[in-house]
Structure formats: C-alpha cells, structure tokens
Amino acid sequence: MRFTKAGLVVTLTAGLALTGCASGSGSSASQASKSITLGNVLAPATFEARNMNWGNQSVYAQAVYDGLLKPAPNGKDVQASLATKWEYNTDKTVLTLALRDGVVFSDGTPFTAEVAAQNLLRFRDGTSPQKSKVADLADAKAKDKTTLVITLKRANPAFLINLAQAAGLQESPAAFGKADAQTNPVGSGPYTLNTSQTVVGTSYKFEKNPKYWDANSVKYDTLTINVYTDATSELNALRGKQLDAAAVADNSILPQVEAAGFKTSGQNLNFAGLLLFDRAGKSNPALGNVKVRQAINYAVDANAMLKVVGLGRGEATGQVFRPESPAYEATLNSTYKFDPDKARKLLADAGYAGGLELTLPTSPGFAKALWPLLQQQLGDVGIKVTFVDTGTNTIADLQAQKYGLSYFTLQRDVNDWQLISTMIAPNATWNTFKYQDPNVDALLATIRTGSDADSAAALKKLNEYIVDQAWFAPWYSPTNYFVTNAGTSVELNQGNVWPNLWNITPKA
C-alpha cells in the first residue's frame, strides 16, 4: 500500500470517491453509539507517528495514537492525556512531565517515559511537515519510568500545544522502523486500524481498542473515515445518509447539505490569499522588491474574491493573525484597499512600468472560479500570470522552492507562536525560501522570551511590519464547516479545521 504526500490545513483533496453505505449512519442515538462514519477531504499521508501531519489528517492520528497532551477546544490550552502533570523551570527551557502509569500499546508493549523520549526525538528527526515545531527540542530523557524531562534550546511559547498535536504522538517502540509502519499504526489510542477492511486513499476502518486505558471515553465501537476527492461525491454521500458527520471543503454544497437534514457548524479558521514566499527575489527578482509585493496586494479585490471564490462565506482580512491575537490591528485590513492605479504606479516605481510575468501553481483542489479572476485582476495592472497545474504535487513543489508565490488557504493558529513557526520564522514550514529579516528576528526574540506585555507589543509591531513589507497578500478568512446529522453532536476545535475526535459524540 502506498500513501501520497499531503499538505497542512488546506482545501486540497486526495483519494478516490466512495460508493457503498456507511455501517452506521445513525438514525437514533442507540444506533449511533455502535458506529460512526465520517467524511474527510484528505487521506493520511502516512500512519507512522514520527512523520504524521495535522490539520485534516489529525482525525486519523487521534484515532490510533494518544498524545502526551490533548488540545483543548479553544485551540490554545492543553489538557491531560498520557501526561497528567507538567511543569517548566524558571526560564522555561526544561519541561518535566509526570506520565500515566499502566498504559499499554495495542501490541501489549508498555508505555514508559523512555518510550516517550524516543518518540519525541524520532519526530524531531523525522520528515513530518510539522517537525519545525519542535526545532527547539534539544533532548528528551526518562528520569524514571513515569517522569519525562524535556530540554529545550530556548523557550518556546507553543511547545505545550505542539505536544498536544502531531509532535506528541506516541507509537509503540516495537513498530519503529518496521516495513509496514506507514500503513499499520501501533499506538495506545482509542481505536486500532483494521487494515483488512481499509482501502488506502478511500476508506479507513477502525475498531475500538480493547486495551485502551480510558475505555469509558470511547463512544463508538467502530469508526469509519471515508475520503472524497470532490464536492459532488461528498454531497451524494451526505444526501444518501452514508455519513454521520463530515468536514466540508466546498461551501457551494452547503444549501443542499442543510436540505438533507444536516446541521452546519462553522468558524473562520484560515486565511485565503497569496503567499509571497520569495521575498529575496531568488526565483524572480521582481518578488524581491517590496513595491512589487505591495502592488500585488493593491491589484487584487479582496471583496470580489470573498464573493466569487468564497461564496460570501467568511470575512475580508488584510492580515494573517487572528482577531483575538494581541498582534491584530483592525486598521491594517484597509492597508491595501483595492486600487489598480496605485498598483500600476508602484510597479512603475519598481522599474516594471512595462509589466512583469509571474508563474503560479494550480491544483484541482482549489476553486475553479479563482484562476480567471486572479489572472484578470493582476493582468489589469500589467502582471501577466502563467498557471502550472501541479496536480497532487503542489505542496511538494512549493516546499522544493519551485514557485516564488502561490495561492493558498492556510490555517491561522490560535497560539501566536505556532502561527509564527508555521508562516513567519526563518525555519517556518511556509516560509519556503527561508527568508530572514533582522527586524523580524529582533521582534521574534522579544516575543519568545519577553514579558507578556513586551511580547504583546512586539507581536503588534511584527504584524504591522510584515503587512507593510507585504510578506503575504491575504484576501479573506473563509468559513470552514463541519456538518453533523441528527444523531451526532460536535464541539469545534478553534485550533484546527477538524474537531478533536473525542468531541464528536452521539446525542443522548
């Protein structure tokens, strides 16, 4: 079996469309308590703990693995899981965790602090797109069977929430390096993957783990996650009552989903717009000129993008930080108010009065209405756009620095340091050209180790600076929807497009 490379929290889809009925699209609470079938837009790139991603793939991880901690629904706090207590030293470079005793993996191997240390170091040294989030991890050692001591190179304000996500996943050491590690996970989580009834890329069947340490928290005997490549196939599955709940990537189907009796729950989690990666002009000298990047911002009508591409479901924004962040400043949203004339003047001032050419990757997972509108608006100011269909390789190509800019829908983390580590820091996953700015570096140092007041002030200055320097061209924050049938309840996770698996429950 072979897994495909997948992305972060994006609307790209993978896998094959499904036919056939779900085992338990519960019409009553009693039926729903036996089994649940969920619809997802993305298949897991791998089931090997050290290389797992998060976002749309978190539901697979939470099915088979426990984390050291659990993310709270508010997206910023953490809760006990395999770690029951935790404490930092004074400068927050040493984290000591008390671990749960008596936990065993599904193969019978005991969970210990030594195992936890191995998992952390393997994740740091693995290939997960999330590995940059533990770049500050210097070492992890077992003090005794149930005490784990983590040493950081420097304080990391997001380290606890990272341990509640992909970085904290715990896999049986007996599975380390096995040939089938990518397709046959061995964790201590609430479910085990039934590989004989799983079709990779299409449908994943999980069964209740009889060895689970918190058996009363598991609300279903079986869990099925089906993958849909397009909105039509997902809509057909929902209308056919084949699903109990689903993440919806294409908001155009929502009226029909609601008409089929599903409840929609939404949140503005991401931002949609252009990521201007090549701020040094390595791939295209024009992108290294701040006036060109500013011109790109002025050239695009964010409200039109929200209406046409986002179908009016969301809110316009000119910044990547969330409204509840200390970095957020409402006035920044009007910094680049749609102004083609100003865009043309900036291009002329930058030496591109005759225009310039840009190449952008496209993918079937993005809204088709986007491309002609973007091409028209940039073309109106003299920027000729050439699109290259990268199919399922978009993320790999971007990480390989094949494109200096790209459209994307990227998650805005609730934890500001997580957002910085994802988009802004020199080693951030989505700072693909690893661009570094001394002004940003100085602000990041204060945010990392300063007092709450100093950190908040530095966050605001950072946001103002990257907006002025046009590191991004945000248009709007789309509303992401999770839908449930009458027999299923959900509590959304403000830190993720997917709810925590344990927050999807049968209605009493």
Side-chain angles (χ1 to χ4, degrees), residues 132-138 151-156 159 417 448:
S132 65
K133 294 187 176 182
V134 290
D136 291 322
L137 174 61
T151 304
L152 301 179
K153 299 174 185 176
R154 48 189 176 175
N156 185 311
F159 199 76
W417 193 256
R448 181 190 287 271

Side-chain angles (χ1 to χ4, degrees), residues 33-164:
S33 67
K34 298 299 182 183
S35 63
I36 186 169
T37 302
L38 307 176
N40 200 354
V41 300
L42 204 64
T46 179
F47 268 106
E48 188 176 19
R50 69 170 179 167
N51 295 326
M52 286 207 78
N53 209 336
W54 206 242
N56 280 306
Q57 299 180 58
S58 63
V59 63
Y60 305 103
Q62 291 179 341
V64 295
Y65 293 117
D66 284 315
L68 290 175
L69 298 169
K70 285 184 176 182
N74 65 14
K76 60 182 179 180
D77 295 325
V78 297
Q79 300 171 340
S81 182
L82 292 179
T84 58
K85 296 179 182 178
W86 50 94
E87 184 178 15
Y88 272 113
N89 67 342
T90 302
D91 65 2
K92 295 188 176 182
T93 57
V94 178
L95 175 64
T96 303
L97 300 97
L99 304 183
R100 198 175 298 279
D101 196 11
V103 174
V104 296
F105 292 98
S106 60
D107 65 355
T109 303
F111 167 72
T112 65
E114 177 60 32
V115 171
Q118 291 179 60
N119 271 289
L120 277 172
L121 296 176
R122 282 170 58 82
F123 189 88
R124 181 196 65 185
D125 301 333
T127 61
S128 168
Q130 303 286 308
K131 65 178 291 183
S132 65
K133 294 187 176 182
V134 290
D136 291 322
L137 174 61
D139 203 1
K141 293 182 178 180
K143 182 178 180 181
D144 54 45
K145 180 182 176 183
T146 59
T147 306
L148 175 66
V149 179
I150 297 171
T151 304
L152 301 179
K153 299 174 185 176
R154 48 189 176 175
N156 185 311
F159 199 76
L160 286 176
I161 190 66
N162 289 334
L163 292 185

Side-chain angles (χ1 to χ4, degrees), residues 1 19 37 52 141 198 227 290 309 326 375 402 452 487 495 507:
M1 290 185 283
T19 58
T37 302
M52 286 207 78
K141 293 182 178 180
T198 289
V227 183
V290 64
V309 182
Q375 191 170 47
K402 291 185 178 180
D452 289 347
K507 283 189 176 178

Side-chain angles (χ1 to χ4, degrees), residues 194-378:
N194 186 327
T195 56
S196 67
Q197 295 186 35
T198 289
V199 180
V200 174
T202 299
S203 182
Y204 298 83
K205 182 68 174 289
F206 303 86
E207 296 175 350
K208 187 175 181 179
N209 179 5
K211 297 184 176 72
Y212 194 52
W213 57 270
D214 190 16
N216 290 335
S217 69
V218 186
K219 305 302 181 183
Y220 302 97
D221 293 333
T222 62
L223 163 69
T224 302
I225 305 174
N226 294 337
V227 183
Y228 300 92
T229 58
D230 60 84
T232 300
S233 60
E234 184 176 41
L235 175 60
N236 289 339
L238 288 165
R239 295 173 72 176
K241 310 300 182 185
Q242 298 172 23
L243 299 174
D244 298 293
V248 174
D250 189 337
N251 289 345
S252 68
I253 69 173
L254 287 172
Q256 294 163 288
V257 172
E258 291 171 334
F262 285 83
K263 177 183 177 182
T264 58
S265 301
Q267 59 176 330
N268 295 338
L269 179 67
N270 307 325
F271 84 87
L274 295 176
L275 306 184
L276 307 179
F277 302 119
D278 188 10
R279 300 159 199 137
K282 293 180 180 179
S283 66
N284 186 329
L287 291 173
N289 191 313
V290 64
K291 291 183 178 180
V292 171
R293 300 196 303 271
Q294 290 172 341
I296 291 171
N297 273 266
Y298 280 116
V300 180
D301 186 344
N303 290 319
M305 288 295 182
L306 173 57
K307 181 179 179 181
V308 175
V309 182
L311 304 177
R313 293 181 182 264
E315 58 185 11
T317 186
Q319 53 198 305
V320 299
F321 285 93
R322 295 168 64 101
E324 61 267 34
S325 167
Y328 188 85
E329 176 57 58
T331 57
L332 292 177
N333 291 329
S334 57
T335 301
Y336 297 108
K337 187 176 180 180
F338 180 51
D339 191 336
D341 289 335
K342 198 161 190 175
R344 295 186 193 97
K345 183 178 186 306
L346 282 166
L347 289 174
D349 292 345
Y352 296 96
L356 60 92
E357 296 185 9
L358 296 175
T359 302
L360 275 76
T362 66
S363 169
F366 296 133
K368 293 180 179 178
L370 164 66
W371 309 118
L373 183 58
L374 180 60
Q375 191 170 47
Q376 174 196 327
Q377 293 186 355
L378 292 178

